[in-house]
Amino acid sequence: MELYMGIDVGSVSTNFALIDEDLRVVEHLYLRTQGQPIAAVQTGLREIASRIRPDDIVLGVGTTGSARHLTGTLVRADSIKNEITAHAVAAALVVPDVRTVIEIGGQDSKIIIIQDQVAVDFAMNTVCAAGTGSFLDQQANRLNIRIEDFGDIALTAQSSVRIAGRCTVFAESDMIHKQQLGYDKAEILAGLCEAMVK
């Protein structure tokens, strides 16, 4: 089978996808970067290689993410694209009339405005970690829940509690205070989700 590989290396996760000529995902892999992008890429390549057949051939490789250039050099990528472009192209492929993409990354969050399948504007939250995936990950860990369950638990809340979301220190202090007042995890997580949006 003729395949194409995409590698997204960010501050929190390293993701691999293999697609066929019809753009169907054949294999995918999610790994934690753990501050070691080279090791994560090497581990991922070994894992992906073990999943494909000996007669499969990878015709092209593209990289994205905060370590896209490093990864591109490691794997001799055919294409190196920033996350804005990668998200816009992927979203337009899946939802042709897409107008907005919101991405919560490990070190920043982005909103991308799309017109006629082209990214025309974007904004990033890079000032404070309160609006990032790393912060959500830390809070899930502090509340002793898996990050994979974060959204599902938040959706069970009957109401949400107001959480200060402009700063990680204030948000965490506010969450601890709300726990001491007796609010449950679901209400706190729902409040945190709303704070991120604001």
Side-chain angles (χ1 to χ4, degrees):
M1 188 181 321
E2 295 182 338
L3 302 170
Y4 299 88
M5 181 183 297
I7 307 172
D8 174 10
V9 183
S11 60
V12 172
S13 67
T14 297
N15 306 283
F16 291 78
L18 281 173
I19 61 171
D20 64 15
E21 302 113 344
D22 297 319
L23 306 180
R24 288 186 300 248
V25 176
V26 175
E27 279 294 340
H28 60 89
L29 177 65
Y30 172 93
L31 300 170
R32 292 289 182 142
T33 305
Q34 296 181 324
Q36 299 181 356
I38 294 172
V41 169
Q42 291 169 333
T43 299
L45 288 171
R46 281 192 296 273
E47 177 63 27
I48 287 290
S50 74
R51 296 183 185 186
I52 62 176
R53 299 177 313 218
D55 58 334
D56 289 340
I57 183 168
V58 176
L59 297 176
V61 179
T63 63
T64 191
S66 57
R68 65 186 172 274
H69 293 291
L70 173 64
T71 306
T73 300
L74 284 172
V75 301
R76 297 183 183 162
D78 302 287
S79 178
I80 299 173
K81 299 292 182 186
N82 64 51
E83 303 97 305
I84 305 297
T85 303
H87 285 308
V89 170
L93 184 66
V94 176
V95 182
D97 60 346
V98 65
R99 296 183 355 197
T100 308
V101 173
I102 298 173
E103 187 253 344
I104 308 295
Q107 62 188 3
D108 59 36
S109 296
K110 303 172 191 71
I111 183 167
I112 306 165
I113 308 302
I114 301 172
Q115 288 178 353
D116 300 321
Q117 301 187 343
V118 175
V120 295
D121 197 9
F122 73 95
M124 293 173 93
N125 168 17
T126 58
V127 176
C128 181
T132 67
S134 289
F135 178 66
L136 292 180
D137 212 26
Q138 290 168 357
Q139 296 315 308
N141 188 45
R142 194 180 65 71
L143 293 171
N144 200 28
I145 63 167
R146 295 175 343 124
I147 189 64
E148 294 84 0
D149 300 329
F150 192 104
D152 290 337
I153 294 170
L155 289 171
T156 66
Q158 296 300 310
S159 63
S160 64
V161 62
R162 189 176 187 286
I163 302 289
R166 303 275 300 161
C167 167
T168 58
V169 174
F170 294 150
E172 188 166 355
S173 296
D174 208 9
M175 290 171 62
I176 291 168
H177 179 67
K178 296 304 192 303
Q179 282 180 284
Q180 293 167 340
L181 292 175
Y183 290 97
D184 67 25
K185 286 182 187 179
E187 293 170 309
I188 292 168
L189 293 178
L192 183 56
C193 290
E194 289 176 3
M196 283 193 67
V197 172
K198 291 176 184 170

